[in-house]
Amino acid sequence: MEHTDVTRQVEAVWRIESARLIATLTRMVGDVGSAEEFAQDALVTALEKWPQEGVPRSPGAWLTTVAKRRILDRWRRDERFRDRMVELGREFVEHDGQAEFDAVLEEDYGDDLLKLMFVCCHPVLATEARIALTLRLLGGLTTDEIARAFLVPETTVAQRIVRAKRRLTEKRVPFEVRSGADRDARLADVLEVLYLVFNEGYTATSGERWLRPELCEEAMRLGRILAGLMPKEPEVHGLIALMELQASRFRARVGVEGVPVPLAEQDRSRWDRLLIQRGLAALEGSIPVDPARPRGVYSLQAGIAAKHATAHAAEDTDWRGIAVLYEVLVRRTGSPVVELNRAVAVSMALGPGAALRIVDALRDSGALEGYHLLPAVRADLLQRLGRGEQARTEYERAADLTRNESERALLLERARSAVGSEL
C-alpha cells in the first residue's frame, strides 16, 4: 500500500477514534493536556509503523494500547506519577501483549467520552476556548481546520487551546459527570457549545461564505454521540431535532454565486426529506415524559423549525403557531433576539404594523444595538408598509453592520429595490 494511502487512513482513524482515546487516557492520568500528549505520541507511532506493518484490524484499540504503554513507561520513570499508579492499581502494569489488547477491545468508552464532553465545555473556560477545545479533542480537528472555519489566525486557535488546557489543570477540573442540578447546568453548557458551533456553520458571522456546512455536520455528529450517551435527556434530542431540521434546508439556502436565499423564496423540493424525518423523530424524543416538566428551549426552537419543515409551501406556514412558540421562548429566555424573531412571526400572522411596534420597542431599548438583523427586519417591515425610502436607509444600516460579505450583498440589493416600493 502506498505510504500516502496509509497516512490518509491514519488521519481518518484519528478523526474517528481520537475523542475516545483522549477520554480514556484522561481517566488514567487525570489531566486533559497530558492525555492529548500521550494520544499524539501514539499517533506518531502509527505514522511510523503502519506504512511498514499495515493498518491493524482494530486501529482504535491499537492506538489505545500504545498510549497506555507510554503512560506506564512514564510512571515507571517519574516519581510524580507513582502515586497515580498506586491509586489506579497494578492491573495496568500486569496486562501486557495480547491480553492487554483484548482488554482494550472490551472497554466501554461511553462514560469516559461523556466526561470529556463535560470537561471541554466547563464554565471555567471562555466561550471561544470551549468551542476550540471541543472541536480539537472531541472533533479531532486540527488547529488549522478550526482557524479556517472561524476565520481567525491559526496561532490564535492554538493559544486558546493551550490556555484552556492550562486553566483546566490549574482549576483542578474533575474528570466526572456530577448529579442533580449541577449535572443539568453542565449539560446546558455542553449543549450551548454544540449549538454555537452549529450556528456559526449555519449563518457565518464573517467572511465571504454564508454557510459552513462542515461545522454544522460536526455539531450534529457530536450531538448524536451525546444522545447515545444520554438517551433519556429530552433537551439533547431537542437540540438534535433543531440542528437536523435546520440543516435540511442547506441546498436551498444559497443561490447563484453563494447569495443567500430567504426562507420564503427557497425551493422546498430541495430540502432534505431524510433530515426532516430524522429531525421530527428527534423532536418527539424532546417532549418530556412528565407533563409537569416544561419543554426545553431547544425543543421549542425545534418545534418552530418543524412548522416550517412540514409546510409544503411558504403560504401554508402556521405563523400563528410559530408566534405562540416564540412567545413561550421569550418568557423562558428573556432574549431580545428571540423577541426579534417573534416580531417576524407576528408580521406574518398579524401584519407588518403590529410587528413594527415590537421592533421599535427593541430598538428603543438599545438591547440589540449593533446587531445587524434588527435594522434588516425593520427594513422589511417598512418596505411592506410602503415606506420605501425609510426601508432603504435601514437596509443600508444593516449592510454596514454585518461582517458577512454574502449577506451584505443581499442587503444592499434589497436597499436598491426598496425605493420602488414607496407608496
Side-chain angles (χ1 to χ4, degrees):
M1 184 177 295
E2 293 285 341
H3 188 281
T4 54
D5 292 336
V6 174
T7 300
R8 281 195 291 269
Q9 286 193 41
V10 174
E11 291 171 351
V13 168
W14 178 256
R15 184 64 60 90
I16 296 169
E17 301 288 348
S18 60
R20 290 190 296 177
L21 174 59
I22 293 169
T24 300
L25 302 182
T26 302
R27 168 166 49 83
M28 288 184 66
V29 301
D31 178 76
V32 167
S34 298
E36 190 188 15
E37 289 178 13
F38 286 116
Q40 290 283 352
D41 191 24
L43 175 64
V44 170
T45 303
L47 288 169
E48 292 172 349
K49 291 192 173 184
W50 290 5
Q52 286 77 38
E53 300 176 3
V55 178
R57 293 181 62 182
S58 300
W62 190 97
L63 289 169
T64 305
T65 301
V66 169
K68 284 185 173 182
R69 287 173 178 167
R70 294 291 188 272
I71 292 172
L72 294 177
D73 289 342
R74 174 78 66 84
W75 283 347
R76 292 188 182 101
R77 295 195 311 267
D78 197 327
E79 287 185 15
R80 291 175 300 170
F81 289 94
R82 286 180 185 169
D83 290 341
R84 184 67 176 164
M85 194 174 191
V86 172
E87 177 186 337
L88 291 174
R90 300 286 178 177
E91 66 271 17
F92 291 122
V93 182
E94 294 169 358
H95 282 306
D96 197 13
Q98 187 61 40
E100 179 186 7
F101 186 81
D102 291 341
V104 168
L105 284 175
E106 294 172 4
E107 284 191 54
D108 180 6
Y109 295 96
D111 191 46
D112 290 338
L113 195 54
L114 183 61
K115 290 174 183 176
L116 183 60
M117 284 189 170
F118 275 61
V119 168
C120 289
C121 302
H122 199 282
V124 300
L125 303 177
T127 300
E128 295 82 0
R130 295 185 213 177
I131 291 172
L133 195 62
T134 297
L135 291 175
R136 173 66 175 168
L137 299 187
L138 291 169
L141 275 65
T142 65
T143 53
D144 176 60
E145 288 172 326
I146 300 169
R148 282 190 280 111
F150 286 90
L151 300 181
V152 295
E154 185 176 357
T155 53
T156 299
V157 172
Q159 289 170 359
R160 287 176 184 171
I161 293 172
V162 169
R163 290 170 183 165
K165 290 187 288 189
R166 184 186 303 137
R167 185 162 179 78
L168 291 173
T169 300
E170 291 171 350
K171 293 295 183 180
R172 299 182 182 273
V173 172
F175 189 64
E176 64 182 14
V177 177
R178 295 184 179 179
S179 59
D182 184 65
R183 173 183 175 278
D184 293 340
R186 293 294 310 285
L187 175 59
D189 293 329
V190 175
L191 294 176
E192 180 189 25
V193 168
L194 299 184
Y195 182 61
L196 291 172
V197 171
F198 181 87
N199 275 353
E200 181 60 30
Y202 190 72
T203 306
T205 55
S206 59
E208 296 181 358
R209 296 166 61 198
W210 199 43
L211 294 177
R212 296 196 178 98
E214 64 277 9
L215 283 178
C216 294
E217 289 164 5
E218 187 59 32
M220 289 190 289
R221 186 181 73 84
L222 293 175
R224 291 169 189 141
I225 291 173
L226 184 59
L229 299 173
M230 306 183 78
K232 295 182 180 180
E233 285 295 331
E235 269 293 72
V236 176
H237 295 287
L239 179 58
I240 293 173
L242 174 60
M243 293 191 295
E244 294 195 331
L245 289 169
Q246 298 285 68
S248 69
R249 308 176 199 157
F250 274 168
R251 290 196 297 265
R253 290 189 74 227
V254 177
V256 180
E257 298 180 357
V259 175
V261 179
L263 179 61
E265 301 172 18
Q266 289 175 17
D267 178 359
R268 300 188 177 212
S269 67
R270 302 190 67 198
W271 288 3
D272 189 322
R273 307 314 300 182
L274 177 60
L275 278 178
I276 290 174
Q277 291 172 11
R278 291 171 61 169
L280 293 176
L283 180 60
E284 290 184 10
S286 76
I287 308 298
V289 176
D290 182 358
R293 183 178 178 181
R295 286 177 67 178
V297 294
Y298 296 115
S299 176
L300 289 167
Q301 291 179 74
I304 292 168
K307 288 188 177 297
H308 289 298
T310 53
H312 296 294
E315 56 269 22
D316 298 330
T317 306
D318 179 12
W319 285 109
R320 288 181 180 272
I322 290 174
V324 169
L325 287 172
Y326 270 128
E327 189 172 358
V328 177
L329 265 175
V330 170
R331 290 200 300 267
R332 291 286 303 279
T333 66
S335 167
V337 173
V338 175
E339 178 72 345
L340 181 62
N341 287 330
R342 184 177 80 87
V344 174
V346 168
S347 78
M348 301 302 293
L350 303 177
L356 186 60
R357 289 190 289 273
I358 299 172
V359 173
D360 284 349
L362 281 171
R363 181 195 59 180
D364 295 342
S365 73
L368 293 177
E369 185 176 356
Y371 185 56
H372 73 284
L373 290 182
L374 177 64
V377 170
R378 192 167 189 272
D380 177 69
L381 298 175
L382 289 168
Q383 186 172 4
R384 288 164 60 188
L385 288 168
R387 295 156 63 177
E389 193 62 44
Q390 291 175 281
R392 182 180 68 175
T393 300
E394 291 293 276
Y395 277 130
E396 290 173 346
R397 180 177 291 114
D400 287 340
L401 289 173
T402 186
R403 292 185 293 146
N404 185 279
E405 295 301 325
S406 295
E407 197 167 22
R408 178 180 288 111
L410 175 64
L411 290 166
L412 290 176
E413 175 59 33
R414 293 200 159 189
R416 286 190 288 270
S417 63
V419 180
S421 64
E422 187 80 61
L423 291 181

